[in-house]
Amino acid sequence: MIRRYKAYFFVILLIIAALSIFDSINSSNVAEDARKEKDKLASKVTSLEKENENRFNLFVEVREEKEDLEENLSQIEEEVESLRSAFEYQEFTAAIDTIESYKASQSFQGATKYMSFKAGQGYFTTDKAGNCPCGFGFNGKGFEWIPNAVLDLKEFRIEKDKVYLTYNTVEDIKNNYQFVMTKAIGRYDSVKKWRIEDIKLVTKEK
C-alpha cells in the first residue's frame, strides 16, 4: 500500500514537474514574443522619429527657401519699382521739355511742331499766309494760340500712356491750360515722342 502511495506521489511530482517545465517554456515563449514585439515597436518608433525628423528638416529647408525667395522677390520688386520710377521720371521730364519748347515758340508754325498728328486734330489761321489770330483744333473744338501766354507748371498727373500738365497763364487769359501729352508722330516728322494731343481750359483759382 505504501509503495502504491509512493508511486502515486511520484507520478504527481512528475506531472507537477512537467507542468512547471511546460509553463516555464510557455512563459519563455511569451517573454520572447513580447521581447520581439517590443523590439518591433521600438523599431517602428525609431523609424517614425527618424521620419518626423526628416519631415521637420524638410519643413525648415522649405521655410528657409521660402524666406529666401520672398527676400529675393522683394529685392526684385524694389529694383523694378526703381527702374519704373526712373523711367517715369525721364518720360515725365521729356513731356515737360516739350511744353517748355512750345512756350518758347514765337511763331505759330513753330508751335505746331509740338502737336501730335492724329485724326480729329488740325489748325487754323486767318489767311493763307498763316497770320494770326490762329489756333489748333482738337476734336472739333478750337484753341487759340497766343504767344508768351504760358507761365509755370501748376500741377500734373500720369495716367497710363498720357501725362497731364496744367500750367498757369498770364493774367489776360481767363483760364489755365492743361496739356494732354502723348507719344506720337508730328505733322512735320514721323519721330514718335512726347507731343501735345489736346489742350484743355481749366478755371483759375481765385
Side-chain angles (χ1 to χ4, degrees):
M1 179 69 70
I2 294 173
R3 287 183 178 180
R4 184 179 297 176
Y5 286 132
K6 286 182 177 180
Y8 287 151
F9 181 72
F10 182 72
V11 170
I12 290 170
L13 286 176
L14 286 175
I15 292 172
I16 291 172
L19 289 174
S20 296
I21 293 170
F22 285 139
D23 184 62
S24 177
I25 292 173
N26 193 36
S27 297
S28 178
N29 290 336
V30 170
E32 181 65 19
D33 291 342
R35 186 184 62 78
K36 289 181 179 179
E37 188 66 24
K38 179 183 177 182
D39 291 342
K40 189 184 295 184
L41 289 174
S43 177
K44 285 184 178 181
V45 169
T46 302
S47 177
L48 287 173
E49 288 177 345
K50 186 66 176 177
E51 185 177 347
N52 286 335
E53 183 181 354
N54 291 337
R55 287 182 177 178
F56 178 75
N57 292 336
L58 180 61
F59 169 75
V60 172
E61 183 178 348
V62 170
R63 185 179 62 183
E64 290 176 349
E65 289 179 357
K66 178 176 177 290
E67 290 175 352
D68 291 339
L69 287 172
E70 288 176 346
E71 183 177 353
N72 291 336
L73 179 60
S74 178
Q75 291 177 351
I76 291 172
E77 287 176 345
E78 289 178 0
E79 291 175 1
V80 169
E81 182 63 25
S82 176
L83 291 172
R84 187 176 69 84
S85 298
F87 173 77
E88 285 185 352
Y89 178 74
Q90 291 176 356
E91 296 296 305
F92 174 68
T93 55
I96 289 179
D97 288 343
T98 298
I99 301 302
E100 292 302 316
S101 298
Y102 170 85
K103 285 168 55 177
S105 299
Q106 295 301 310
S107 68
F108 177 67
Q109 186 176 2
T112 59
K113 293 190 302 184
Y114 306 105
M115 299 293 159
S116 63
F117 185 60
K118 288 188 175 184
Q121 294 181 210
Y123 62 90
F124 60 87
T125 57
T126 54
D127 55 35
K128 292 182 180 180
N131 295 317
C132 290
C134 47
F136 304 101
F138 301 108
N139 299 314
K141 295 182 179 180
F143 172 83
E144 184 181 359
W145 176 75
I146 302 173
N148 305 316
V150 183
L151 299 178
D152 55 315
L153 179 64
K154 183 176 185 292
E155 59 187 21
F156 68 90
R157 73 176 189 273
I158 300 173
E159 291 184 4
K160 296 183 179 179
D161 59 344
K162 298 185 190 300
V163 177
Y164 295 80
L165 304 172
T166 302
Y167 279 78
N168 291 315
T169 57
V170 294
E171 292 182 3
D172 295 342
I173 299 176
K174 296 180 180 180
N175 300 293
N176 289 327
Y177 294 164
Q178 183 184 71
F179 296 90
V180 181
M181 309 298 294
T182 185
K183 274 195 167 181
I185 62 173
R187 182 170 296 276
Y188 306 112
D189 64 78
S190 58
V191 178
K192 196 172 184 181
K193 58 184 180 181
W194 286 104
R195 300 180 192 268
I196 302 169
E197 181 182 74
D198 194 1
I199 304 176
K200 302 179 182 296
L201 300 179
V202 179
T203 303
K204 289 184 176 180
E205 296 178 1
K206 295 181 180 180

